[in-house]
Amino acid sequence: MELTIKEAMQRGVIAYKEGQLHTAEKYFKIILKERPFHPGANHKLGMLALSANKISTALIYFEKAVHLKPSKGLFWVSYIDTLLKAKKHTLAQKILLKGKQYLSDAESHAYEESLNAQTSPRNIKRSTPSKQQVKSLLDLYNLERYSDAEKYAKSLTNLFPNNNFGWKILAAVFKKTNRHSAAVEAGRKAIEISPNDTEAHCNLGNTLLDIGHREEAMKSYLTVTKLDPNHAAKHLVASMSGENTKGASKDYVKWLFDGYAENFEQSLVDTLDYSVPHVLADLIFKENEGKPLGKVLDLGCGTGLFGQEILNQYTYLEGIDLSVNMLNKAAEKEIYDTLVSRDILEYLSQKELCYDYFIAADVFVYIGDLSEIFKQIKKRNKKGARLAFSTEELSGDSYRLQPSGRYAHSKDYIQKLCKQFDYKILKHHEMGIRKDENVGYIPGALYLLGF
């Protein structure tokens, strides 16, 4: 049965997406045999030629594509990118002038900057992006304009082939837009250019971990720790190798939550069905019989989820957290009297303590050995008070660093600490802490202790 042009195009596109390039080429050439002026088939054949590094052939197809359908911005992008790759800067400038009306402002700006930097005598020897180019790309990425960031990053990879910055941003964009294979490929390209870039190795490890390639991720993290023995990735290496440590490093916690702050609540509450602050607050209110909570210290307050749950039920609310980005989000809620960027144990051991409630919602999962925290709160607080917190559950009588990078604590371990430091368990409530794709809900517990 003879294929229609539409059917051949569909089959060619499917084959192209699946990486069956020879099959895709066959379908696109069938189309051109019947209809030489088909813009889409010309463009696809240009992309196939480009993937085979046949630059001259690709340019012929792209030139036809923009001539046949000038309103298609993607055709101009492919044509100009390939001209830059071929270092045909004068022709690229002419084509940019012709196609500018069909490009976004970000695309036009990116190409103009690239061409100016390449052709300016002052910048002709530049091998790295300018500060303004770096800022422009980071601004696009941070504003979540991922499509524009992708195009700008690609232009920088063409302009500065021996610098890996554009590739690192491309990898980040691909990860954010769930194109994990492309993210891995871009990440490896960034490392190929700069083998000693710890950030590039760590980013690649994170992407590999996200898609379940744990062994490859481990190799990336090991490389990071060889390059920088004190890097935050050391905690991930420990968790993935079965080592049991006393707690995550301050650098790891900062690194994790500074990068997580922007989407923290959406991810945790909406996606992972996290309700610990609400249930913990309810536990406290019931035990307190509706009376004001007094002075509250929210340990590891994050973006202020617990603070929201006790709004107007306290006389003073203070939050501490290592992540400045998380504290900035908490400040936006305007519910904390004081917010401090500090390590929890340092704060408890040095600050004058006079609180009625100490709160640690989803905090002890980053601290294994809780003995010093229990000790400092009991020893240094000037009055009797309450300590409320959540844990991930564990059998046995201790704590354990899990492959997730989080710690689990057994009920026996908490009881042992209570006996050692003279706390009384007032409430114990078992619940699913949050969703997990492997186990459904992670089993955990809430505690309310008195002293």
Side-chain angles (χ1 to χ4, degrees):
M1 184 177 69
E2 217 171 286
L3 293 174
T4 64
I5 296 294
K6 184 178 180 180
E7 288 170 338
M9 192 67 188
Q10 288 174 339
R11 293 191 184 187
V13 169
I14 290 170
Y16 180 78
K17 287 180 178 179
E18 293 178 349
Q20 299 172 14
L21 303 187
H22 292 298
T23 303
E25 183 180 22
K26 181 185 76 173
Y27 283 118
F28 297 138
K29 284 187 173 179
I30 287 172
I31 294 171
L32 289 194
K33 188 174 181 180
E34 294 295 321
R35 195 180 297 174
F37 304 112
H38 191 286
N42 274 287
H43 180 257
K44 288 297 184 186
L45 283 167
M47 295 299 292
L48 287 167
L50 188 60
S51 67
N53 206 32
K54 298 177 181 178
I55 306 298
S56 298
T57 303
L59 287 173
I60 292 170
Y61 282 122
F62 290 147
E63 183 181 13
K64 287 181 181 177
V66 297
H67 176 73
L68 293 167
K69 194 172 184 179
S71 61
K72 188 76 171 177
L74 176 63
F75 294 173
W76 292 96
V77 168
S78 299
Y79 193 16
I80 297 169
D81 278 346
T82 308
L83 287 169
L84 289 172
K85 189 179 181 73
K87 302 189 183 301
K88 295 180 180 291
H89 304 116
T90 303
L91 181 54
Q93 285 177 320
K94 290 179 181 177
I95 297 303
L96 177 59
L97 285 174
K98 286 183 180 180
K100 193 173 182 179
Q101 60 183 309
Y102 307 112
L103 301 173
S104 69
D105 290 341
E107 288 168 334
S108 297
H109 179 67
Y111 287 132
E112 285 167 356
E113 275 203 339
S114 295
L115 286 164
N116 287 338
Q118 189 68 35
T119 57
S120 169
R122 184 179 58 182
N123 294 329
I124 199 74
K125 293 182 180 179
R126 179 181 288 278
S127 60
T128 60
S130 67
K131 288 182 179 179
Q132 183 55 50
Q133 286 172 319
V134 169
K135 183 180 182 302
S136 295
L137 180 49
L138 288 175
D139 285 347
L140 289 173
Y141 179 79
N142 291 329
L143 289 169
E144 298 182 12
R145 292 172 56 184
Y146 297 132
S147 178
D148 291 333
E150 179 180 344
K151 291 163 187 171
Y152 199 174
K154 284 180 177 177
S155 74
L156 291 186
T157 63
N158 285 325
L159 183 60
F160 306 107
N162 296 319
N163 182 273
N164 77 342
F165 177 69
W167 287 107
K168 288 202 291 185
I169 297 298
L170 267 182
V173 168
F174 291 145
K175 185 181 177 186
K176 284 285 188 181
T177 52
N178 296 316
R179 289 175 284 172
H180 293 105
S181 295
V184 169
E185 187 178 341
R188 286 180 171 148
K189 182 65 178 177
I191 290 167
E192 180 186 325
I193 294 169
S194 299
N196 294 328
D197 187 330
T198 55
E199 183 182 48
H201 282 285
C202 196
N203 291 344
L204 177 59
N206 294 340
T207 303
L208 289 166
L209 191 60
D210 283 351
I211 58 177
H213 296 182
R214 295 184 65 84
E215 289 185 9
E216 290 181 80
M218 181 67 158
K219 290 177 183 177
S220 291
Y221 294 139
L222 284 169
T223 301
V224 172
T225 56
K226 285 177 183 176
L227 293 168
D228 179 2
N230 296 316
H231 194 279
K234 184 178 180 180
H235 178 71
L236 292 172
V237 170
S239 70
M240 295 170 73
S241 61
E243 184 182 349
N244 200 27
T245 59
K246 289 190 174 184
S249 69
K250 288 184 282 187
D251 286 341
Y252 174 78
V253 175
K254 283 182 184 178
W255 169 71
L256 179 66
F257 287 102
D258 276 344
Y260 198 19
E262 192 63 38
N263 300 308
F264 177 77
E265 292 190 14
Q266 180 183 357
S267 173
L268 200 58
V269 178
D270 298 340
T271 306
L272 301 179
D273 195 23
Y274 172 73
S275 61
V276 165
H278 176 75
V279 181
L280 190 61
D282 190 54
L283 207 69
I284 290 169
F285 290 144
K286 286 178 180 176
E287 194 272 337
N288 195 49
E289 298 179 340
K291 292 176 286 188
L293 301 181
K295 294 182 68 176
V296 180
L297 180 61
D298 192 356
L299 304 168
C301 64
T303 61
L305 288 174
F306 182 80
Q308 286 182 145
E309 296 294 337
I310 61 168
L311 189 63
N312 300 324
Q313 300 297 314
Y314 53 83
T315 57
Y316 175 82
L317 177 60
E318 183 172 352
I320 65 172
D321 203 285
L322 273 170
S323 169
V324 173
N325 290 357
M326 296 289 266
L327 289 172
N328 289 337
K329 289 293 181 181
E332 291 174 6
K333 292 181 170 65
E334 298 183 347
I335 54 179
Y336 287 83
D337 296 289
T338 305
L339 289 167
V340 181
S341 176
R342 194 84 179 273
D343 173 68
I344 289 174
L345 193 52
E346 286 178 3
Y347 194 80
L348 293 174
S349 61
Q350 297 172 16
K351 172 89 162 46
E352 187 173 287
L353 305 179
C354 189
Y355 297 96
D356 297 288
Y357 280 88
F358 294 83
I359 310 298
D362 206 45
V363 173
F364 291 166
V365 292
Y366 298 103
I367 305 169
D369 184 352
L370 302 177
S371 59
E372 197 62 26
I373 288 177
F374 274 56
K375 176 184 174 181
Q376 292 299 330
I377 290 175
K378 178 68 192 308
K379 177 184 175 182
R380 304 194 68 254
N381 201 53
K382 292 186 175 181
K383 56 183 175 180
R386 301 284 190 262
L387 169 59
F389 58 91
S390 64
T391 64
E392 291 186 9
E393 282 199 338
L394 180 72
S395 59
D397 62 353
S398 190
Y399 62 86
R400 167 61 59 182
L401 175 58
Q402 304 172 102
S404 63
R406 294 160 63 93
Y407 291 88
H409 302 81
S410 72
K411 186 178 180 182
D412 285 351
Y413 175 70
I414 300 300
Q415 289 175 326
K416 185 168 63 176
L417 291 177
C418 287
K419 185 177 181 179
Q420 182 180 354
F421 298 107
D422 197 21
Y423 287 80
K424 182 180 179 182
I425 297 179
L426 303 175
K427 297 282 184 182
H428 172 259
H429 174 70
E430 295 181 357
M431 66 175 289
I433 295 293
R434 59 183 175 83
K435 285 182 180 177
D436 181 89
E437 60 182 15
N438 296 316
V439 297
Y441 281 86
I442 295 174
L446 305 184
Y447 292 86
L448 179 60
L449 312 183
F451 63 92

